[in-house]
Amino acid sequence: MPTVQVTDLKDGDFLLDVREDDEWRAGHAEGALHIPLSDFVARYGELTAAAPQDGRVHVICRSGGRSAQVTMYLAQQGIDAVNVDGGMQVWEYAGRPVVTDDGQPGYVL
């Protein structure tokens, strides 16, 4: 499965967060699109509307398991998708910003 490291991500890369609502509210990467795994199939159109047409979708969850499932599904749909290795735990550990919906500092639940 295609995988990237948190340190490989650049500002402006399209990030899809598939964690659940409570995890998202605690803290997330600014600018990420949030579609929980539990709603993913029903809300798939939101991803196709928001994702860059010829760009890559970087999929992230807490540690990498749920995002791996979504990455495999997206690849089967012909979308250039990669799993972010280690997820938001590594994101936070690497010192990348974690924010709440109102822009305040957040944390990874």
Side-chain angles (χ1 to χ4, degrees):
M1 166 182 357
T3 302
V4 296
Q5 303 300 312
V6 166
T7 54
D8 295 332
L9 293 172
K10 298 171 188 61
D11 290 343
D13 282 346
F14 186 83
L15 192 63
L16 170 65
D17 189 325
V18 298
R19 296 175 303 145
E20 295 304 315
D21 290 336
D22 60 333
E23 296 172 288
W24 173 265
R25 282 190 301 272
H28 53 269
E30 190 171 4
L33 174 65
H34 178 230
I35 303 177
L37 178 60
S38 60
D39 294 339
F40 190 74
V41 173
R43 293 176 57 190
Y44 179 73
E46 291 177 43
L47 170 66
T48 57
Q53 292 301 316
D54 295 320
R56 175 171 278 179
V57 176
H58 300 84
V59 188
I60 197 165
C61 67
R62 182 174 187 265
S63 61
R66 290 171 284 179
S67 54
Q69 293 175 22
V70 171
T71 299
M72 289 176 23
Y73 175 80
L74 292 176
Q76 291 170 349
Q77 306 310 310
I79 293 175
D80 181 10
V82 293
N83 188 31
V84 179
D85 191 42
M88 287 298 295
Q89 289 179 321
V90 172
W91 178 279
E92 184 177 49
Y93 180 78
R96 304 288 293 261
V98 176
V99 298
T100 60
D101 282 338
D102 62 2
Q104 297 299 310
Y107 63 93
V108 175
L109 181 63

